[in-house]
Amino acid sequence: MSYKRVLTVQDISCVGQCSLTVALPILSAAGLETCILPSAVLSTHTAGFKGYTFRDLTEDIPAIAAHWQKEGIQFDAVYTGYLGSAEQIAYVKEMFKTLLKPEGVSIVDPAMADNGRLYPGFDQAFVEEMKTLAFSADVILPNITEACMLTGMPYRETYDEAYIDELLSRLVDNGAKTVVLTGVGFKPDKTGVMVLENGEKKYYEHRKNERGSHGTGDVYASAFVGAYLRGNSVYDAAAIAADYTLKCIENTVDDPSHWYGVKFEPVLPYLISRLG
Ligand code: PXL
């Protein structure tokens, strides 16, 4: 098995089962050397906790990147999630140029919004910068809200396939290469992912769990990156990540006290078994 080195850039939410506390274990379980660059440190995530702390690490990034460059450290993939500031996005874009191996892949989860709304602390200037990062990446994993914000398309809670087609074509017109659009459901009890690769659209549908869960976007993106870098096609990696994420949600729904994230750790053996 080839052993790949991935860099993931996202925040440390010390409590809350999202971003790096999810990405690091999932990518490691997928058998990848996982290097991290924390974009910010928060006491918890921002979705439901009140009074969280937030330390932006933007100013540390240039020196960290310069050190790695000096050491000749390069990555097979750079995978970005929740970023701390619009200024930081410019640094990350530069890293795609300086720290990726020639055949390396850039994967962007434009983690900034859900359910039609930006996460607390983000503004239009951040969205504008995120567009430049997302449209320079090899693969993007937006949810429908993020895809709308990246393209200026009005957000709708109910939609048909024509709406999703329009969203995909606007993403492509703006420069998106490969798209994994998450949370796409056409029937009340179903959800899924729409994958667009080389101009070809493929849909993976699965059961929908009624209880929405925080952090599932990060579980999904991390499992996708793990499966993709282990040699699966984009579509197969998207399907494996969907199956794993659903199992994580099902492992959590009967515990109302666990509202802030999903219990993804006990389900890691399932992910590992799917990776072969
Ligand atoms: O799961 C995305 C995410 C990551 N990091 C922080 C967040 C969120 C979503 O709200 O608040 C800090």
Side-chain angles (χ1 to χ4, degrees):
M1 180 184 112
S2 78
Y3 183 59
K4 290 196 169 150
R5 177 192 277 162
V6 57
L7 170 66
T8 183
V9 189
Q10 38 192 316
D11 72 282
I12 296 174
S13 285
C14 301
V15 170
Q17 285 180 311
C18 68
S19 37
L20 278 182
T21 64
V22 162
L24 187 47
I26 290 178
L27 294 168
S28 298
L32 304 167
E33 178 187 352
T34 307
C35 305
I36 61 165
L37 180 52
S39 58
V41 179
L42 295 85
S43 50
T44 63
H45 63 58
T46 65
F49 293 103
K50 298 263 178 312
Y52 49 83
T53 68
F54 183 96
R55 181 172 298 275
D56 177 10
L57 297 180
T58 300
E59 62 180 62
D60 293 39
I61 290 180
I64 292 172
H67 180 213
W68 289 343
Q69 246 191 300
K70 199 158 154 243
E71 291 290 321
I73 293 167
Q74 292 210 305
F75 301 96
D76 296 291
V78 177
Y79 149 44
T80 72
Y82 183 106
L83 300 175
S85 68
E87 188 190 354
Q88 191 174 100
I89 296 176
Y91 293 144
V92 173
K93 250 183 343 203
E94 193 53 29
M95 283 180 176
F96 286 173
K97 295 195 196 119
T98 55
L99 295 173
L100 268 178
K101 291 182 184 171
E103 72 288 7
V105 289
S106 51
I107 302 169
V108 170
D109 175 0
M112 61 182 175
D114 205 0
N115 302 313
R117 299 221 316 249
L118 278 172
Y119 295 144
F122 291 145
D123 57 14
Q124 194 53 35
F126 185 89
V127 175
E128 292 306 316
E129 264 314 298
M130 185 55 86
K131 287 182 189 173
T132 67
L133 183 71
F135 296 132
S136 74
D138 296 311
V139 183
I140 55 171
L141 296 106
N143 59 36
I144 293 179
T145 303
E146 289 156 351
C148 285
M149 289 179 176
L150 293 173
T151 58
M153 180 122 164
Y155 173 76
R156 282 175 32 194
E157 262 170 33
T158 50
Y159 46 80
D160 56 13
E161 208 165 333
Y163 175 83
I164 297 298
D165 286 348
E166 169 76 15
L167 202 45
L168 289 174
S169 73
R170 287 200 194 193
L171 286 167
V172 170
D173 290 348
N174 278 282
K177 294 174 194 83
T178 298
V179 181
V180 180
L181 185 63
T182 61
V184 180
F186 300 111
K187 299 176 195 143
D189 56 340
K190 302 277 186 196
T191 187
V193 280
M194 189 66 85
V195 175
L196 185 79
E197 193 181 17
N198 302 323
E200 202 194 326
K201 196 181 76 167
K202 259 168 126 179
Y203 183 52
Y204 184 74
E205 185 180 67
H206 59 86
R207 285 190 310 285
K208 179 177 175 170
N209 206 295
E210 270 323 304
R211 207 187 94 175
S213 304
H214 293 303
T216 49
D218 300 342
V219 169
Y220 182 83
S222 302
F224 169 83
V225 172
Y228 182 53
L229 293 182
R230 282 288 300 275
N232 290 283
S233 68
V234 172
Y235 179 78
D236 287 348
I240 291 169
D243 293 345
Y244 172 62
T245 306
L246 181 61
K247 282 195 183 294
C248 294
I249 295 170
E250 287 172 350
N251 189 45
T252 313
V253 278
D254 61 354
D255 181 355
S257 72
H258 209 95
W259 58 269
Y260 50 85
V262 287
K263 299 175 181 174
F264 69 95
E265 304 88 343
V267 197
L268 281 170
Y270 168 79
L271 177 64
I272 293 167
S273 75
R274 287 291 300 271
L275 299 181

